[in-house]
Amino acid sequence: MKYLDEYRDPVLARRLLDELRATATRPWRIMEVCGGQTHTLVRQGIDELLPAGMRMIHGPGCPVCVTPLETLDRAVVIAARPGVILTSFGDMLRVPGTRTDLLSLRARGADVRVVYAPMDAVRLASAHPDRQVVFLAVGFETTAPANAMAVLHAARLGLPNFTMLVSHVLVPPAMTALLQDPACEVQAFLAAGHVCAVMGWREYEPIAAHYRVPIVVTGFEPLDLLEGILMAVAQLEAGRYEVENQYARAVRRTGNTAAQDAVRRVFRVTDRSWRGIGHLPSSGLELAQEYSRFDAARRFRVDGLRPAEDAECIAGAVLTGAKLPTDCPAYGTRCTPRHPLGAPMVSSEGTCAAFHAAGRTRTRSTT
Ligand code: SF4
């Protein structure tokens, strides 16, 4: 535990908080983009220790939460077909679809399997040539390289029975969409360290300059977040709008160029609908033409889907930071981790799950 202890040192945390209180002269609003960062902030109570009036706005960086309902409904229909093995990361199995979720479908006999890496799905396809193996490929820029490698490997093996249901999303277009909303309160961003470990931060520089918002690439431990917040506040107080890197132990400006090359080979940028947020141009990835034979949406034509969100769930407002989970009338009563109505209560990166795990009950509207 040596390294984790170092990034959770309470003495250093108090020192950073003191410095933050001495630096902040205004009630700044800062968005942490990533759901993993939200969980650390809420679990450690960091958001409640900030200087008076200063507020963290929890962002849309939960991949499970923003995966369109239509994709999930399509996965359910495909998984129910004879001869199909549908594979997915575990988080997706309990996300409510319009009629059911993948876990319930598995209980009724469908072959739905949890895998820990997309390459596991390729191995399954290789081991079961008589079955169609589909991998549910969701996530941000972090998961795209491994998914790209799986497609490249399946192509090398000449596997005819492996496909992916792709629903990748990209962070910078979501940040831009948030900033273009006239109701947006965000004055600075903590960018997700793991996304930037892959992509670097060059694509954030024009956003910081154009919208005059500081962006600090930040890690996930308590001291990372406190330092990232302090760096963002220091910029705001000085009237600077730059991209800075708090997560220097993992991130370089250019990112991981080998991973980027694999993603560019296999995927191309496309428009994407984000669950709870809406349609964002050029905000996702789909398989490039050369690899379209691995596209499950093409191989398994699924028509007649009518996705319908739960009427009570305010996940869209939670994902854009307009509302807190505790503003939702179903929070903690009709919607719990055992019986979720929406994706943010399911995922290990969901804001509603973070609030529930921390026992948050206070109701405070942010609008
Ligand atoms: S508490 Fe449940 S119903 Fe309310 S916004 Fe969160 S996921 Fe949706």
Side-chain angles (χ1 to χ4, degrees), residues 30-103:
I30 301 171
M31 173 176 276
E32 84 280 5
V33 172
C34 172
Q37 294 171 329
T38 303
H39 271 253
T40 302
L41 287 171
V42 174
R43 187 172 57 239
Q44 304 289 338
I46 292 171
D47 55 331
E48 296 185 327
L49 293 170
L50 299 178
M54 199 173 134
R55 188 156 63 81
M56 298 305 296
I57 300 177
H58 311 304
C62 160
V64 170
C65 306
V66 299
T67 298
L69 184 56
E70 188 177 354
T71 300
L72 196 63
D73 287 349
R74 181 167 279 126
V76 164
V77 171
I78 292 171
R81 292 196 178 164
V84 168
I85 302 173
L86 188 120
T87 59
S88 167
F89 296 133
D91 271 14
M92 289 302 295
L93 263 62
R94 294 187 61 240
V95 178
T98 301
R99 290 195 183 81
T100 188
D101 56 68
L102 288 166
L103 197 63

Side-chain angles (χ1 to χ4, degrees), residues 310 312-315 318 325 328-332 335-336 340-346 352:
D310 184 277
E312 271 194 294
C313 183
I314 59 163
V318 171
C328 174
Y331 171 80
C335 182
T336 63
L341 294 183
M345 189 55 97
V346 178
C352 301

Side-chain angles (χ1 to χ4, degrees), residues 108-333:
R108 296 203 294 273
D111 197 346
V112 176
R113 304 189 192 187
V114 173
V115 291
Y116 295 96
M119 210 63 93
D120 293 342
V122 175
R123 276 190 280 274
L124 264 179
S126 188
H128 298 278
D130 54 328
R131 308 280 299 276
Q132 289 289 327
V133 176
V134 181
F135 178 67
L136 183 48
V138 305
F140 287 90
E141 293 93 328
T142 37
T143 50
N147 291 345
M149 293 306 294
V151 169
L152 291 172
H153 193 53
R156 261 194 302 272
L157 295 177
L159 286 179
N161 63 328
F162 173 78
T163 51
M164 273 187 180
L165 191 55
V166 178
S167 188
H168 274 300
V169 281
L170 303 170
V171 172
M175 289 167 68
T176 304
L178 286 169
L179 290 166
Q180 286 173 346
D181 183 343
C184 177
E185 292 186 276
V186 177
Q187 293 167 301
F189 284 102
L190 304 186
H194 52 2
V195 170
C196 295
V198 174
M199 300 303 294
W201 68 78
R202 285 176 296 186
E203 38 185 7
Y204 297 97
E205 289 168 345
I207 299 175
H210 182 80
Y211 294 97
R212 299 170 68 83
V213 284
I215 300 174
V216 180
V217 179
T218 304
F220 301 88
E221 291 299 320
L223 294 190
D224 289 327
L225 286 155
L226 283 167
E227 190 177 30
I229 294 166
L230 178 60
M231 289 166 73
V233 167
Q235 282 203 51
L236 287 164
E237 292 286 344
R240 289 187 295 116
Y241 312 101
E242 298 161 13
V243 182
E244 291 182 324
N245 183 22
Q246 181 279 330
Y247 204 32
R249 65 186 184 276
V251 177
R252 290 173 300 164
R253 180 171 178 267
T254 49
N256 182 333
T257 51
Q260 292 165 26
D261 287 345
V263 171
R264 264 194 297 271
R265 252 177 93 183
V266 172
F267 296 111
R268 66 183 176 198
V269 174
T270 185
D271 298 348
R272 179 76 67 206
S273 291
W274 294 50
R275 189 173 189 177
I277 296 177
H279 191 75
L280 301 182
S282 303
S283 69
L285 297 174
E286 65 179 2
L287 285 163
Q289 187 62 34
E290 188 184 345
Y291 297 99
S292 59
R293 65 188 181 282
F294 295 104
D295 187 350
R298 280 180 178 225
R299 184 166 306 176
F300 302 91
R301 293 278 172 201
V302 179
D303 300 316
L305 291 174
R306 288 199 180 75
E309 297 283 359
D310 184 277
E312 271 194 294
C313 183
I314 59 163
V318 171
L319 286 166
T320 53
K323 296 273 187 187
L324 290 172
T326 42
D327 295 323
C328 174
Y331 171 80
T333 53

